[in-house]
Amino acid sequence: MKDFNFYAPTEVVFGANSEEKVASLIKHYGGHKVLVHYGGQSAVKSGLLDKVCGLLSDGGVEAVKLGGVVPNPRLSKVKEGIEICRKEGIDFILAVGGGSVIDSAKAIAYGVPYEGDVWDFYVGKAQAEVCLPVACVLTIPAAGSEMSEASVITNEDGDVKLGYSNNISRPKFAIMNPCRTFTLPPYQTAAGVTDIMMHTMERYFNPDCDMTITDEIAEALMRTMKECVFAVLKNPEDYRNRAQIMWAGSLAHNDVTGDRGNGDWATHQIEHELSGLFDVTHGAGLAAVWPSWARYVYKENVSRFVRFAVNVMGVPNDFTDPEGTALKGIEAMERFYHAIGMPINIHELIGREVTDEEIKEMVRKCSRNYTITQGKFKALKPEDIEAIYRIAK
Ligand code: NZQ
Ligand code: ZN
């Protein structure tokens, strides 16, 4: 068994009306003047933004608003936030939204005390020593950013999407009210569940595969998500199942279902180039890549794919044909993606064939100019990454 550190310092405040506690939580974690950061329109339309701002004002917490974060959050918005925080003397950032808003908040938090360009952290030129405290009111279960150390930002200059991980930016608290997810459109609901399952799958398909307790937790989470998603697609106001998805989103990415450092992450890296270039929804991009990744790598550890097929996808185990069982598991996952409205290849994702030039550009970026491999289950060289894009075409 590999050694590991488990660090999940975020206070989770879960339940209906949990946002009522927002002002006292901010004060508890030392905030006086807050940047309330949010997205395009959902938090405004639902009244959540007004409610949070009212609660802050009633609780004696000063607030400055900055909205307009788009999915695949942009560096320019981060820089705008950094300027505002410096000018206004902000000492706390509250993200009201999903992964994009939280990731943008984390980037602003790194940037405020840093004299250089915040992008330095994302390209590996610098490590952040300090950052402003961040917290969130989560509105979409998906990215798991509410408990994670990661922030993924797109630099519009070259459409480069890069992640930066640092424990100092893990949210101080995460308010999770499942009722706030009732308004999610079916596509975002399904993409969110796909991302949640994939955060566990990236950890599950690791090179060691030797921890039963973690595997069992992971399989239970994935099976549960497969059921819950159909329930909420049928009835968007199903509190019980919305709540299960919301909590699973955090568990899938806070390392309870496996150590991030030992996971594969190739599907994520290959997808990040798709959402960087085509501005697609991250979870949908993962669904478009995973089956091709799986078919390309399953022979590295057929029994792992058999276990996944049987324990997660419910495929009968044909002991005489392990490869056949493994492949049936991948096919079952494709059927599941289609059943929830997700694509299973790039054509379905972007509505057209991806061109040779686009594949070459994504391979170059994904391999950081042909200098690194991606993935641990099988270390993918640039030619392997290219092969997967071509299978996924
Ligand atoms: O902008 P608004 O109007 O709020 O609409 C959003 C957005 O269009 C909408 N939405 C959110 N909550 C809603 C709602 N619509 C109706 N009702 C609600 N309650 O949903 C859309 C997607 O939101 P977004 O925040 O982009 O979704 P998600 O949480 O999936 O975040 C995706 C981003 O997170 C990154 C992805 O790469 C992507 O950029 N990731 C971050 C990770 C991390 N920090 O640990 C890990 C992930 O693997 C992922 O890479
Ligand atoms: Zn993800």
Side-chain angles (χ1 to χ4, degrees):
M1 192 197 291
K2 282 227 164 179
D3 297 346
F4 65 92
N5 277 20
F6 179 74
Y7 184 61
T10 303
E11 179 174 352
V12 173
V13 183
F14 195 99
N17 298 320
S18 45
E19 57 267 7
E20 301 284 346
K21 302 182 182 118
V22 67
S24 61
L25 283 163
I26 285 176
K27 286 194 273 192
H28 175 76
Y29 286 102
H32 301 93
K33 189 166 181 185
V34 178
L35 182 77
V36 179
H37 201 31
Y38 58 98
Q41 43 85 22
S42 74
V44 176
K45 221 167 124 189
S46 69
L48 176 63
L49 188 71
D50 277 352
K51 179 162 187 197
V52 167
C53 289
L55 288 163
L56 292 177
S57 156
D58 294 349
V61 178
E62 246 190 288
V64 175
K65 290 192 274 186
L66 176 63
V69 178
V70 292
N72 305 314
R74 308 296 201 265
L75 183 61
S76 56
K77 181 58 71 178
V78 170
K79 291 190 170 168
E80 190 186 339
I82 293 170
E83 283 311 305
I84 293 174
C85 287
R86 287 180 180 157
K87 194 168 128 236
E88 297 280 347
I90 301 284
D91 61 9
F92 200 102
I93 307 183
L94 180 70
V96 180
S100 296
V101 179
I102 304 169
D103 286 4
S104 182
K106 289 175 179 173
I108 295 170
Y110 292 130
V112 174
Y114 181 61
E115 282 178 6
D117 184 340
V118 66
W119 191 241
D120 289 352
F121 301 125
Y122 292 78
V123 292
K125 264 198 209 158
Q127 282 298 328
E129 305 285 337
V130 285
C131 72
L132 290 188
V134 175
C136 67
V137 179
L138 187 65
T139 63
I140 170 171
S145 187
E146 66 277 10
M147 286 187 84
S148 86
E149 81 290 31
S151 156
V152 189
I153 298 295
T154 298
N155 186 344
E156 304 91 313
D157 187 5
D159 294 330
V160 183
K161 183 173 180 179
L162 290 175
Y164 176 56
S165 290
N166 189 323
N167 274 326
I168 62 172
S169 75
R170 286 192 196 251
K172 299 289 175 209
F173 64 83
I175 289 176
M176 299 190 213
N177 175 356
C179 302
R180 294 293 170 190
T181 68
F182 290 174
T183 51
L184 280 171
Y187 191 78
Q188 289 299 335
T189 298
V193 168
T194 302
D195 196 17
I196 291 167
M197 290 178 72
M198 193 65 70
H199 291 159
T200 292
M201 287 153 71
E202 297 279 21
R203 290 167 165 90
Y204 186 85
F205 291 102
N206 68 70
D208 305 304
C209 309
D210 68 347
M211 209 168 169
T212 309
I213 180 69
T214 307
D215 286 345
E216 296 279 343
I217 296 171
E219 288 164 1
L221 184 142
M222 292 187 276
R223 281 195 306 269
T224 309
M225 287 306 91
K226 276 176 57 211
E227 284 176 23
C228 293
V229 67
F230 289 110
V232 301
L233 287 174
K234 202 164 155 207
N235 175 13
E237 304 203 359
D238 176 341
Y239 182 88
R240 188 171 172 276
N241 284 302
R242 285 286 192 195
Q244 303 211 67
I245 294 172
M246 200 166 207
W247 186 218
S250 303
L251 297 178
H253 208 33
N254 73 359
D255 292 342
V256 164
T257 63
D259 176 16
R260 171 199 273 273
N262 198 32
D264 183 70
W265 301 104
T267 304
H268 263 74
Q269 294 300 330
I270 291 170
E271 190 293 318
H272 279 173
E273 302 313 331
L274 288 170
S275 46
L277 192 59
F278 302 111
D279 202 17
V280 290
T281 299
H282 167 64
L286 294 170
V289 171
W290 188 80
S292 301
W293 170 84
R295 287 200 174 87
Y296 195 75
V297 306
Y298 79 95
K299 288 189 180 155
E300 296 293 309
N301 186 345
V302 173
S303 64
R304 191 64 172 171
F305 272 89
V306 169
R307 182 177 169 146
F308 178 78
V310 174
N311 290 0
V312 179
M313 301 314 295
V315 171
N317 198 348
D318 180 351
F319 293 97
T320 63
D321 183 14
E323 283 203 23
T325 306
L327 288 169
K328 279 187 185 139
I330 299 168
E331 285 160 19
M333 188 51 124
E334 288 179 319
R335 283 196 298 279
F336 168 72
Y337 286 149
H338 270 166
I340 62 171
M342 287 289 104
I344 59 165
N345 55 48
I346 302 173
H347 197 135
E348 289 181 7
L349 177 72
I350 65 172
R352 65 166 171 84
E353 286 247 323
V354 61
T355 66
D356 276 356
E357 292 70 42
E358 287 163 342
I359 289 180
K360 295 227 173 308
E361 187 185 345
M362 291 191 289
V363 172
R364 180 181 64 72
K365 288 177 178 168
C366 194
S367 63
R368 310 288 181 263
N369 282 321
Y370 318 106
T371 60
I372 59 164
T373 59
Q374 290 290 0
K376 284 194 177 168
F377 191 79
K378 176 180 171 68
L380 302 173
K381 298 185 189 121
E383 55 268 34
D384 298 313
I385 298 170
E386 176 164 351
I388 292 172
Y389 279 125
R390 290 196 186 282
I391 302 170
K393 210 168 160 181

